[in-house]
Amino acid sequence: MEWTGACYADKPTVEVHTWIAASPAQVWTLVADIELMPRLSAELQSVEWLDGASSPAPGARFIGRSKHDAFGEWATTSHIVECEPPRVLAWAVEDPQHPTAVWRFVLEPQDGGTLLREWMQMGPARSGLSFAIDRMPEKEQKIVFVRMREFEANMIATLEAIKKLAEDARTSGEASL
């Protein structure tokens, strides 16, 4: 990620992608398994569906519990705002109309496999990062940049884990045929 000089109010975004040797339907089963995500993330510790939901659907909600050395532990409620299997899954954190963040996975068939993209937008609503910015407003751009780089690194790790799981499952499935 290159320096952008973005402030929080700019709603900065980051996107990463990888190609996976598996069909979008196979990759979708992993992406849509929200409860799998804590196993793939250093920051996200647990996920729990709310209101009797057990899978993503527009309007479904889940609680995510996270941990970060600099920010401590916290929980947020996310709302599924897009769910088009096996193409798009997105959720807004806290208020879907004015979220603290938006996360999106997009799956596209490509070259006999799947191009998987993960995208996130910080803000526009205040988040835990806002308190650090409040304490050091002169460092806002650096605070935002460092956090976006962390997101980028974590997203790359998540996509690599999904790629490994999908390709390992595909290989073992082919081996058993």
Side-chain angles (χ1 to χ4, degrees):
M1 167 171 269
E2 293 184 24
W3 173 261
T4 62
C7 294
Y8 193 90
D10 296 329
K11 300 187 290 186
T13 64
V14 63
E15 182 174 336
V16 300
H17 66 276
T18 192
W19 182 84
I20 301 173
S23 71
Q26 291 167 309
V27 176
W28 176 263
T29 62
L30 298 168
V31 168
D33 185 357
I34 299 294
E35 293 170 301
L36 170 68
M37 293 302 159
R39 287 187 15 216
L40 312 180
S41 170
E43 195 168 302
L44 183 62
Q45 303 296 297
S46 69
V47 172
E48 178 186 344
W49 285 106
L50 297 173
D51 311 318
S54 59
S55 63
R61 301 180 318 136
F62 62 91
I63 290 180
R65 289 177 180 79
S66 299
K67 183 179 178 181
H68 186 283
D69 289 342
F71 304 123
E73 297 181 19
W74 69 95
T76 57
T77 301
S78 292
H79 305 254
I80 303 294
V81 293
E82 287 181 82
C83 185
E84 301 171 26
R87 260 187 10 84
V88 179
L89 177 62
W91 59 90
V93 181
E94 296 303 344
D95 179 352
Q97 303 305 313
H98 193 66
T100 60
V102 178
W103 295 83
R104 179 177 291 118
F105 286 99
V106 177
L107 298 79
E108 298 174 26
Q110 185 182 76
D111 301 326
T114 302
L115 177 63
L116 175 61
R117 291 184 283 134
E118 185 176 8
W119 173 92
M120 75 82 56
Q121 171 189 290
M122 186 185 291
R126 290 175 58 84
S127 70
L129 195 65
S130 302
F131 299 108
I133 294 168
D134 291 346
R135 287 191 307 272
M136 300 174 282
E138 72 285 357
K139 295 183 178 179
E140 178 177 2
Q141 292 172 314
K142 183 175 182 181
I143 292 167
V144 168
F145 178 69
V146 168
R147 188 63 173 138
M148 295 305 285
R149 273 199 334 206
E150 288 179 339
F151 283 137
E152 181 181 48
N154 291 339
M155 292 162 64
I156 289 168
T158 297
L159 292 194
E160 287 306 310
I162 290 170
K163 175 182 178 77
K164 181 171 177 18
L165 288 169
E167 291 178 351
D168 287 355
R170 183 173 173 257
T171 302
S172 23
E174 287 177 353
S176 64
L177 292 177

